[in-house]
Amino acid sequence: MCSEWAGTVIAHVGATAVADVRAAARHAVEHADAVAVIAPYFFAAAPESGVEQFFRQVMTGIELPWLVYNFPRHAGNPVSPVVVARLAGEFPQLVGVMDSGKDLEVTRAYKTGCPRLSVLVGDDRAAARLAELGLDGVVTGAGGPVAELPVTITAAARTGDEASASNWQRVCDTYSDTRKAMGLSDIAFAKAAAATRLPGFPLQVRAPLTGVDEQQRTRIERFLRSETLPAIDALHAGTRH
């Protein structure tokens, strides 16, 4: 779909109204290989039947492959494995789940409830355990600026190279621990981390989030340059950390 990218382009679509989500999904047909549809996030704590009907109305008649994006912390509406299994039985183009719910039992239930689905877990710390968990991959947000790490960990885990997966997982965990310790939003931290690798990358975030101050930006840059980026340089050089 994208001439400059050999992988799969997944467009995230979401809005407070069904018509807006459908419009975004139709637009994605010309620009992406699949869409990830997040649960409605205006009427939080909606009935499960209403959440299911939302997805049904959004995707009826749209043939692009799609994934359910479960992110209850932000959307306020969890999408249960039972609902996903019912939708998968009705929509052959439902190909997977992106689960950022932070409950591995729920994540695994998506897979057991419908084994044909690709289930991606939103937990950077789980990448080395994919085989053990029976899952297909990870989806990362704040880890985007160091994307080589989850990609490498996942590849090693899939080939059974447990030692390499564990070694790189420790590097990734140190990055995650530092991010959590700073008390910033994932978006603010990720933008500052991206700016370290891409000079001029904008640090601004939209309210109500707040961005990093100069002291925080400097701390993030120093950490990356002293800890994470040397490990990534070793990865690019073909050596094992």
Side-chain angles (χ1 to χ4, degrees):
M1 181 65 66
C2 179
S3 61
E4 298 181 3
W5 174 248
T8 300
V9 177
I10 300 176
H12 288 201
V13 298
T16 58
V18 167
D20 292 337
V21 185
R22 286 181 58 80
R26 287 194 297 269
H27 179 265
V29 170
E30 299 180 8
H31 305 282
D33 301 293
V35 293
V37 187
I38 198 166
Y41 48 82
F42 184 78
F43 295 105
E48 184 177 82
S49 60
V51 173
E52 181 175 351
Q53 187 62 17
F54 171 86
F55 283 101
R56 183 172 290 108
Q57 291 179 12
V58 162
M59 294 310 298
T60 294
I62 295 176
E63 296 303 319
L64 197 67
W66 61 291
L67 302 89
V68 168
Y69 187 10
N70 181 53
F71 207 162
R73 179 164 65 95
H74 288 307
N77 285 305
V79 189
S80 74
V82 172
V83 165
V84 168
R86 283 199 293 261
L87 290 170
E90 183 175 343
F91 294 91
Q93 68 269 36
L94 175 54
V95 297
V97 180
M98 293 169 52
D99 181 30
S100 294
K102 300 299 184 182
D103 185 335
L104 285 175
E105 290 304 313
V106 172
T107 310
R108 297 172 75 177
Y110 289 122
K111 192 71 173 179
T112 56
C114 189
R116 74 169 179 82
L117 297 179
S118 294
V119 178
L120 311 178
V121 58
D123 184 350
D124 293 342
R125 299 177 189 276
R129 301 174 55 206
L130 290 177
E132 169 197 341
L133 296 170
L135 303 175
D136 300 289
V138 296
V139 54
T140 183
V146 292
E148 297 97 327
L149 295 178
V151 168
T152 299
I153 297 164
T154 300
R158 285 176 172 170
T159 60
D161 188 350
E162 296 182 5
S164 181
S166 296
N167 285 339
W168 289 108
Q169 186 67 65
R170 282 192 286 272
V171 176
C172 190
D173 288 349
T174 299
Y175 173 87
S176 297
D177 290 342
T178 300
R179 171 172 55 83
K180 292 292 186 183
M182 291 194 68
L184 298 166
S185 71
D186 287 352
I187 293 174
F189 185 95
K191 284 199 151 191
T196 298
R197 306 191 72 180
L198 300 170
F201 192 87
L203 298 176
Q204 294 84 1
V205 299
R206 288 180 291 180
L209 298 181
T210 57
V212 297
D213 58 31
E214 185 59 27
Q215 183 178 16
Q216 292 166 330
R217 187 203 62 78
T218 300
R219 179 180 170 188
I220 292 169
E221 180 176 0
R222 287 176 177 170
F223 162 70
L224 287 175
R225 294 197 183 284
S226 64
E227 297 282 342
T228 311
L229 295 184
I232 290 176
D233 288 342
L235 173 61
H236 286 315
T239 60
R240 181 177 298 177
H241 184 73

